Amino acid sequence: MKKLFTRPIPVLLLLFVLLFCEKEFNGERPFVRLITLPPTDLNAEGVTLNGEFLDLSGDIMNDYGFLIDAENIKPDVVKNPDILKFSLKTETPKLGRFSFRAEYSLSVGQTYYIRAYAIQGNNFILGEEFSFVSKGGAANPSITSFSPVDIVPGDTLTLVGQNFTLGLPRLSAYLAGKEAEIVGTPSNTQLKIRVPLGIPLSGKIQLTVGFISITLDKNYQRLKPDMLKVPGTVKYGASFLVECKNLSKIFGSNEVVIGKNGIYQSCLVLQQQKDALLVKLDDSNDYDPERGDSLFVFAAALPISSKVNIAKPEISGISPALVLPDDEVTLVCDGISTNKNVTKVSWNGAEIPSANYSIGATGKQVTLKVPYWGNIPGTIKVMVRSGQRVSNEMSTRVVVDLLTLNEEQKDWKYAFNLNDKLFIGLPSGEFPFEYLDPSKKASGLQRISSSSRQIFEHAFPTQNDQLLALSVENNSAVEGQLLGILANNTAQLIAKSTNKIPLSANSPATLKIRALLLKTTL
C-alpha cells in the first residue's frame, strides 16, 4: 500500500527541537514542549493535522496550531509573516494530542509541509516537520461575479464569491498579472481591490487564497480616455483646464506634455478634478510651438491629444518714462516664464545679461537696471522673449546725466574712447590727457601724467591700453609716439617715429600722414 505522507526519524527531530529550545532559552525559565504527529484522514475533502503537547510549563500561551507551506518550513519562520497558519488559539491548550481538520487552500497533487507550533511570550516553539501530497479540499475559494465591469486605474473593484478569508494572510488579487491593492478588510464572501496602473484594455481577474489560485472567465474592460476640451492657446504663468473623461483616478499617473513625434516637454498637473486636470506650463521648459505641437495627456500611459498654441509674452507697461544710467526700469508683463534660462530681456535690440534683470515670482513683472556704457540719449526699445515667443516692444527714454567739469579747462584739443573710458587732450606737457570712466556714476576727470612733457595735438586709440599720439612742430611736421596707459595713471613711452613727417601743403587745416615707422626706444 502506497504511503500518503513521509515521516523523518521523529526521535532525532524531537531531540533536535528540545536541544534547540534549550540552547535558545538557556534554561532560564521553563517553556512549552510540543511535537508534530503524522497527518491522518487524507482524502479529497482535506487532511487532519496532528500534534502533541509534552509539557505546558512556562508563560501563558499566546497561540498554537499548525504551519503549512509548499516549501520546507525553516526554524526562522518567524521572519516570514505571510506563512499560512491554522490557528487553534481559541481552544484552551491541554497536555496531550491536538488536531485540526484542514479542508481549504489545498491544491490537488501539491506537496505540503507542516509543523506544529506554539507562541509563548516572545518564544516561537516548533515541532518537527512532516509532508503530505494533497488530494484537494472541500472548501476552496471561488469568484461568482465582480463589479463594475468597465474600469479605470484607481477604481475600486468588488469581487463576490466564497471562502476568501480561509487563506489569510495569503490573499492577493491580480488584474492581467498586475497585483492589485486589497482595500479594507475582506469578508469570506466579498473582497474589494484597487485597480492598479499598467493594466491592458482587457484582461483576466485572478485571486490567490492560501495555496489556491483561481481565474474568472469573464474579462474586465478598461475604459479608453477621451479628450473633451482644451484651450486653443495657453501661456506661461496661467493655469488652464484640460477636460477629459476616463482618466486614471490615481493622482500623478496622468501626465500632460506638449510636443510631437515623441519629443515632449512636460507640464505641471496642479490638481486632478472629476473628468478634468488643472494644468500649468512648466517655467523651466522652453516650449517650441513653431513645430506645430500638440498637448498630450497620458492617462496612465494611454495617450490622447489636441492641438495647442503658446501665447506670446506681452508688455503692458513700463516705468519710469525717463531714466538715467543705473536707474531701474520696471516692466509690467504677462505670459512670461519666471526662469531666466527661458525668459530673456533685450535692450535696444541687444540681449542683456541675466544678472542685470530680475523676474517677479508671479511672472507679472520684470525689473532691469539701465546700463551705463553703450547708451546714448534717446528712445530705447525693450522686448521680452519667453521660450520661442517674442513680446511686443515698449519704449522708455534715456536722458543724459550731465557732469560739471573744471571751468578753467575749456579748450580740449581732442577726445577719444579707449577701453570704455573717455580720454580728453589737455594743452599741458606734464598732463597731456585726462579721462572719464562712465562706469562710475558721477565720476570726475582723472589726469594722466607723462614723463616726456610733450604736448600732443592729436591722439588715436589702438589696442591693449595703447594710443598713438601726434605732436606738430611749427605747423610743418608731425612726430608720432606710441604710449601705454598704466594702472597708476601715467603714460609710458613704448615707441616713437624715427623721422618727422611733413604735413600736406595743399590743405594746411587738415592733417595728413603719409607714413610712420615706429621704433622701440625702451
Side-chain angles (χ1 to χ4, degrees), residues 373 414-425 433-439 446 448 459-469 481-487 489-492 494:
W373 193 243
Y414 51 83
F416 60 89
N417 173 19
L418 179 63
N419 290 341
D420 289 342
K421 294 179 181 179
L422 177 64
F423 282 78
I424 300 173
F433 310 107
E434 287 183 313
Y435 76 90
L436 179 69
D437 188 348
S439 66
Q446 304 290 322
I448 301 293
F460 306 93
T462 57
Q463 59 184 0
N464 300 327
D465 286 326
Q466 297 176 4
L467 56 92
L468 176 64
Q481 295 185 20
L482 184 64
L483 302 177
I485 305 300
L486 305 183
N489 289 349
T490 60
Q492 181 184 44
I494 298 175

Side-chain angles (χ1 to χ4, degrees), residues 333-442:
C333 303
D334 190 28
I336 69 168
S337 165
T338 58
N339 191 310
K340 288 186 178 182
N341 293 325
V342 177
T343 295
K344 304 295 182 181
V345 181
S346 294
W347 178 268
N348 240 15
E351 191 172 287
I352 65 176
S354 59
N356 292 354
Y357 63 92
S358 61
I359 304 173
T362 61
K364 300 294 184 181
Q365 180 175 297
V366 175
T367 303
L368 59 108
K369 185 168 287 190
V370 179
Y372 250 105
W373 193 243
N375 284 307
I376 58 175
T379 300
I380 304 298
K381 295 180 180 180
V382 183
M383 290 188 305
V384 175
R385 175 175 62 82
S386 263
Q388 307 298 318
R389 311 296 274 170
V390 179
S391 74
N392 57 307
E393 293 181 343
M394 191 67 70
S395 298
T396 187
R397 185 169 180 80
V398 177
V399 295
V400 177
D401 189 7
L402 295 177
L403 293 176
T404 301
L405 302 178
N406 191 337
E407 292 183 357
E408 295 179 358
Q409 300 171 349
K410 296 180 179 180
D411 184 20
W412 289 292
K413 296 186 176 183
Y414 51 83
F416 60 89
N417 173 19
L418 179 63
N419 290 341
D420 289 342
K421 294 179 181 179
L422 177 64
F423 282 78
I424 300 173
L426 289 172
S428 167
E430 183 178 359
F431 297 103
F433 310 107
E434 287 183 313
Y435 76 90
L436 179 69
D437 188 348
S439 66
K440 297 178 181 179
K441 190 173 183 179

Side-chain angles (χ1 to χ4, degrees), residues 186-478:
S187 70
N188 202 43
T189 59
Q190 190 176 89
L191 176 66
K192 294 182 181 293
I193 61 174
R194 189 90 63 204
V195 178
L197 296 171
I199 60 172
L201 294 176
S202 180
K204 298 289 185 184
I205 299 174
Q206 185 182 50
L207 190 64
T208 298
V209 181
F211 301 105
I212 302 297
S213 293
I214 53 177
T215 302
L216 198 63
D217 290 336
K218 185 177 181 180
N219 283 14
Y220 72 82
Q221 301 296 326
R222 176 184 170 179
L223 296 171
K224 291 183 178 180
D226 189 22
M227 189 87 76
L228 300 178
K229 185 178 180 182
V230 177
T233 301
V234 297
K235 62 183 178 181
Y236 285 106
S239 59
F240 54 94
L241 204 61
V242 178
E243 298 181 34
C244 307
K245 66 178 182 179
N246 302 332
L247 292 170
S248 168
K249 295 179 181 178
I250 301 175
F251 184 76
S253 62
N254 298 304
E255 184 183 8
V256 180
V257 299
I258 292 178
K260 71 174 184 178
N261 299 331
I263 302 175
Y264 303 116
Q265 291 176 299
S266 62
C267 301
L268 302 177
V269 178
L270 305 178
Q271 186 182 60
Q272 183 166 329
Q273 305 173 2
K274 179 176 172 55
D275 295 333
L277 298 171
L278 186 63
V279 182
K280 187 172 181 268
L281 295 182
D282 190 337
D283 281 340
S284 63
N285 284 335
D286 185 353
Y287 299 96
D288 185 4
E290 303 302 331
R291 300 178 307 197
D293 289 358
S294 293
L295 181 142
F296 285 80
V297 174
F298 287 87
L302 290 183
I304 47 178
S305 65
S306 178
K307 289 288 185 181
V308 70
N309 293 316
I310 308 293
K312 290 183 177 181
E314 181 182 0
I315 305 175
S316 59
I318 186 170
S319 62
L322 295 176
V323 294
L324 296 171
D326 205 38
D327 281 350
E328 283 192 346
V329 175
T330 299
L331 308 177
V332 179
C333 303
D334 190 28
I336 69 168
S337 165
T338 58
N339 191 310
K340 288 186 178 182
N341 293 325
V342 177
T343 295
K344 304 295 182 181
V345 181
S346 294
W347 178 268
N348 240 15
E351 191 172 287
I352 65 176
S354 59
N356 292 354
Y357 63 92
S358 61
I359 304 173
T362 61
K364 300 294 184 181
Q365 180 175 297
V366 175
T367 303
L368 59 108
K369 185 168 287 190
V370 179
Y372 250 105
W373 193 243
N375 284 307
I376 58 175
T379 300
I380 304 298
K381 295 180 180 180
V382 183
M383 290 188 305
V384 175
R385 175 175 62 82
S386 263
Q388 307 298 318
R389 311 296 274 170
V390 179
S391 74
N392 57 307
E393 293 181 343
M394 191 67 70
S395 298
T396 187
R397 185 169 180 80
V398 177
V399 295
V400 177
D401 189 7
L402 295 177
L403 293 176
T404 301
L405 302 178
N406 191 337
E407 292 183 357
E408 295 179 358
Q409 300 171 349
K410 296 180 179 180
D411 184 20
W412 289 292
K413 296 186 176 183
Y414 51 83
F416 60 89
N417 173 19
L418 179 63
N419 290 341
D420 289 342
K421 294 179 181 179
L422 177 64
F423 282 78
I424 300 173
L426 289 172
S428 167
E430 183 178 359
F431 297 103
F433 310 107
E434 287 183 313
Y435 76 90
L436 179 69
D437 188 348
S439 66
K440 297 178 181 179
K441 190 173 183 179
S443 62
L445 288 172
Q446 304 290 322
R447 286 190 170 186
I448 301 293
S449 62
S450 173
S451 59
S452 65
R453 297 184 177 275
Q454 191 166 2
I455 297 176
F456 300 108
E457 305 294 327
H458 299 278
F460 306 93
T462 57
Q463 59 184 0
N464 300 327
D465 286 326
Q466 297 176 4
L467 56 92
L468 176 64
L470 304 178
S471 58
V472 180
E473 289 188 2
N474 301 323
N475 292 325
S476 62
V478 175

Side-chain angles (χ1 to χ4, degrees), residues 21 78 84 341 349:
C21 295
V78 68
L84 185 58
N341 293 325

Side-chain angles (χ1 to χ4, degrees), residues 143-178:
I143 306 174
T144 57
S145 65
F146 69 94
S147 62
V149 175
D150 298 327
I151 57 175
V152 297
D155 273 341
T156 298
L157 189 64
T158 301
L159 308 181
V160 177
Q162 58 183 357
N163 299 325
F164 290 158
T165 59
L166 295 182
L168 291 174
R170 287 193 174 183
L171 177 62
S172 55
Y174 302 85
L175 274 67
K178 293 286 184 180

Side-chain angles (χ1 to χ4, degrees), residues 473 477-479 497-502:
E473 289 188 2
V478 175
E479 183 181 49
S497 59
T498 56
N499 61 316
K500 297 179 181 179
I501 305 168

